[in-house]
Amino acid sequence: MSYVVDNWSFDPFIIVVAFVVVLHELGLANLRRRSVAERTRKRRLNSLLFYGGLALLLVTVTSPIDYWSGDYLFVHMIEHIMIAFFAPILIVAGAPWLPLLHGFPVGFRRRLVRALLLGRLSPGLRSVGRFIVNPWTALVSFNAVMVLWHVPALFDVAEENQVIHIGLMHASLFLTGTLFWLQIIPSYPFRVKASPLWQIGAIISTNVVMFVLAMTLSLFSESSWYAVYAHVPGVGLSPYADQQIGAAVLWICGDFWAIPALAVCIRRAMDSKEGFSLGVDRLFHRDPGPPLEAFRAPAERVPPG
């Protein structure tokens, strides 16, 4: 029980989250004045998902999870899964973008929108924005970040330097995770540009990357990768056994998010206008062939009279 009750800490991130919540509530209040009741109710329901994602981030960085992640690699893996997968899922599903924008004063909003759409740098900013939210950019960057931060040299440096650990490792996992889920979960005003079949492929390929990483950490390794966990005082679990458990966390927790997301995307592909089979044909540039109506015999015409 002490593992759960003890070792909670205050993190400055609490102040950031509090500011974001206040800003979001101000935006909801401003939007409520000009919206119909149904849309206001939907925004409030979405806000519960958004706040759930923020709460999950807070638990990750202030609870014993963060404390014990310095002693046990498998706890650190749990922390990464929460930051890169589960918190972004809730935040993207909560669609907080418009309420956050409308939480700022009107004058600031107008200057910001004018600078982005009509400013001297707006063409370049829009090009950068399109590149960042491109589905392939999101997919490649998310998997690259996940793999690179498990390279022993980079992992050890981040573990020994809190600025790199929080400002680079955790921030990049969260940001690329958010971009990844924006390609799969509708989050107004962002439009999901990727097809359901692309989403299915992205989920499967990302889960395969995690599976390969987990197998490399466990079955294909004979010793611990990370020097920072090799000499932690007071830890009875061997570094190699700790690494084996950490690999299992990556593998099993990958199924926790992948299977439900895959089921949703498969259903989405089956319900799409072109259907699942036609989508597969287009994905592989195959001729889908003539429609079924072409094989039906024409209806016999009955002469009048």
Side-chain angles (χ1 to χ4, degrees):
M1 191 66 181
S2 61
Y3 285 96
V4 178
V5 176
D6 297 338
N7 301 311
W8 288 78
S9 62
F10 175 83
D11 191 284
F13 185 61
I14 296 175
I15 300 175
V16 176
V17 169
F19 172 78
V20 170
V21 170
V22 171
L23 186 67
H24 191 265
E25 285 297 320
L26 289 173
L28 289 177
N30 291 333
L31 289 169
R32 184 168 56 246
R33 300 189 187 101
R34 65 189 76 174
S35 299
V36 297
E38 182 179 355
R39 187 169 296 178
T40 298
R41 186 163 50 252
K42 184 178 180 180
R43 289 198 188 102
R44 173 52 65 190
L45 292 176
N46 286 341
S47 72
L48 300 180
L49 294 172
F50 175 52
Y51 295 154
L54 293 179
L56 192 58
L57 285 177
L58 277 180
V59 169
T60 303
V61 301
T62 63
S63 73
I65 293 176
D66 185 65
Y67 176 84
W68 291 111
S69 68
D71 293 343
Y72 297 98
L73 176 65
F74 78 88
V75 181
H76 206 155
M77 295 299 101
I78 295 174
E79 187 176 40
H80 284 182
I81 293 294
M82 294 173 69
I83 291 173
F85 289 94
F86 295 114
I89 287 173
L90 291 172
I91 289 174
V92 171
W97 325 112
L98 280 184
L100 288 175
L101 178 62
H102 282 266
F104 289 102
V106 176
F108 175 82
R109 291 204 310 267
R110 289 176 177 172
R111 288 194 298 271
L112 178 62
V113 173
R114 192 180 300 116
L116 292 176
L117 298 181
L118 303 174
R120 185 164 50 90
L121 300 177
S122 59
L125 292 175
R126 288 199 297 269
S127 297
V128 172
R130 284 193 295 268
F131 174 77
I132 291 175
V133 299
N134 181 275
W136 289 106
T137 302
L139 176 62
V140 173
S141 63
F142 182 51
N143 283 280
V145 164
M146 179 66 68
V147 171
L148 286 175
W149 282 121
H150 288 87
V151 173
L154 296 178
F155 189 98
D156 288 344
V157 169
E159 189 64 21
E160 293 174 346
N161 188 312
Q162 285 301 299
V163 174
I164 297 176
H165 188 195
I166 298 173
L168 291 180
M169 177 186 275
H170 286 180
S172 61
L173 287 171
F174 173 73
L175 291 176
T176 57
T178 301
L179 289 175
F180 176 80
W181 288 107
L182 278 173
Q183 315 308 318
I184 297 172
I185 301 173
S187 188
Y188 187 81
F190 292 100
R191 292 186 297 112
V192 176
K193 300 178 181 179
S195 68
L197 284 178
W198 187 95
Q199 296 170 348
I200 293 170
I203 292 169
I204 293 175
S205 60
T206 300
N207 201 32
V208 167
V209 168
M210 293 185 64
F211 173 77
V212 172
L213 181 60
M215 291 300 98
T216 306
L217 284 167
S218 56
L219 297 182
F220 304 142
S221 298
E222 297 181 353
S223 61
S224 173
W225 283 18
Y226 307 112
V228 291
Y229 288 106
H231 56 274
V232 178
V235 175
L237 186 66
S238 72
Y240 183 61
D242 184 17
Q243 182 171 296
Q244 299 282 301
I245 301 174
V249 168
L250 282 178
W251 184 4
I252 296 173
C253 290
D255 293 336
F256 287 166
W257 66 264
I259 292 177
L262 199 58
V264 170
C265 290
I266 291 175
R267 179 61 183 270
R268 192 179 292 168
M270 295 175 66
D271 292 342
S272 64
K273 292 182 179 179
E274 62 182 19
F276 190 83
S277 60
L278 182 56
V280 173
D281 290 332
R282 291 189 176 183
L283 181 67
F284 292 101
H285 305 288
R286 296 186 310 204
D287 183 8
L292 291 177
E293 287 76 6
F295 297 98
R296 293 175 180 167
E300 183 178 353
R301 299 182 62 182
V302 179

